[in-house]
Amino acid sequence: MHTAATASSGSLRLALLALLALLLGVAYGENTTDAASDGGDLALTNHGALVASGIVAGIVLIVVGFFCNYFGYKLVKVLIFLAGFCVVGGLVLYAEYKIRAPHEDEKGRQLWYLGIAAIIGVIGGLILLFLYKVGVALIGALGGFALATWILSMKSGGLIHSDVGRILFIVALVVGGMVVALFIQRPAIIVASSVWGAYALFVGIDCFARTGFQYTALAFLNAPGATYETSPKVYAMIACMAVSACLGIFVQFWTTRSKKAKFLPL
């Protein structure tokens, strides 16, 4: 019974890990051996060394986060594609794990699940390029999600301790971001892309810095075994994310202040 429960918990944690990765616009297979079930670092082996998946995830998140943080509005088509990829891929992955969650020793099935979710996510992203307003709404949703996570990260275990309260808070900011993005597109896209980009950037940095900031969304979405504890290093990451987001907002407003400012061609 204990072994089955551990396997189930590990598989669910992998799903939520991958879902977080898809929300941040990247799909990767994370190494979840004993380190995952024991609460080890997402990018570490049992011996504390960075594994290949953690390195790749960190690099991709840093690159994607940086460009979204400072050039999101000019790269709006990329943002729309990523929004479609995130939402569609995440829903597919969630459905796969609800239908039949793989055991921890079924690495092949785990990779198949991630691969299928990523492929369908790509299709979703491409379709969304033809549905501009829906894409803009989802950009606002990602910004709301990142902002909610940043606010909750102010305190160990989350600023809101109630599980229901945390979920409702996240949903409220996600929906709010969608509504605002539909009514004031340019400011909303700039703010949402800067906040989401800054969050992705510092989650990527934390794959190497290992302060614990990368656990925020997992812990707040009630992933099994995921805990979030604040520390001076975590607060430094929180502050740096805020500074980066504000700087990104300033840079984007400044570089797109001209009425002739256009999106960068893809």
Side-chain angles (χ1 to χ4, degrees), residues 120-203:
I120 298 178
V122 167
I123 296 172
L126 292 173
I127 293 174
L128 211 62
L129 289 174
F130 299 95
L131 303 171
Y132 178 78
K133 287 190 176 181
V134 177
V136 169
L138 292 182
I139 291 173
L142 290 178
F145 174 81
L147 179 60
T149 303
W150 180 79
I151 293 172
L152 290 171
S153 68
M154 298 294 178
K155 188 175 181 181
S156 294
L159 196 62
I160 301 174
H161 288 291
S162 166
D163 292 344
V164 175
R166 280 199 305 269
I167 297 299
L168 290 176
F169 178 72
I170 292 173
V171 170
L173 264 66
V174 166
V175 173
M178 295 175 70
V179 173
V180 172
L182 288 175
F183 285 95
I184 48 173
Q185 289 187 18
R186 177 174 170 268
I189 290 173
I190 289 175
V191 173
S193 63
S194 293
V195 173
W196 176 76
Y199 180 64
L201 173 62
F202 281 91
V203 168

Side-chain angles (χ1 to χ4, degrees), residues 83-144:
F85 172 80
C86 296
V87 174
V88 176
L91 290 174
V92 170
L93 189 66
Y94 177 79
E96 289 172 336
Y97 273 76
K98 288 294 289 183
I99 293 171
R100 203 281 202 185
H103 299 294
E104 285 195 29
D105 58 348
E106 294 181 313
K107 301 300 179 185
R109 181 180 291 272
Q110 293 171 3
L111 292 175
W112 271 107
Y113 279 6
L114 285 172
I116 292 170
I119 291 170
I120 298 178
V122 167
I123 296 172
L126 292 173
I127 293 174
L128 211 62
L129 289 174
F130 299 95
L131 303 171
Y132 178 78
K133 287 190 176 181
V134 177
V136 169
L138 292 182
I139 291 173
L142 290 178

Side-chain angles (χ1 to χ4, degrees), residues 201-226:
L201 173 62
F202 281 91
V203 168
I205 290 173
D206 201 50
C207 285
F208 302 95
R210 292 174 272 166
T211 67
F213 180 73
Q214 60 180 293
Y215 282 103
T216 49
L218 285 173
F220 303 151
L221 292 173
N222 301 325

Side-chain angles (χ1 to χ4, degrees), residues 17-42:
L17 244 175
L19 178 57
L20 173 61
L22 288 168
L23 284 170
L24 295 174
V26 80
Y28 65 94
E30 190 60 61
N31 185 339
T32 53
T33 54
D34 294 338
S37 58
D38 293 340
D41 196 292
L42 304 185

Side-chain angles (χ1 to χ4, degrees), residues 15 43 53 111 152 157 215 225 228 245-246 264:
S53 57
L111 292 175
L152 290 171
Y215 282 103
Y228 171 70
C246 291
L264 292 179

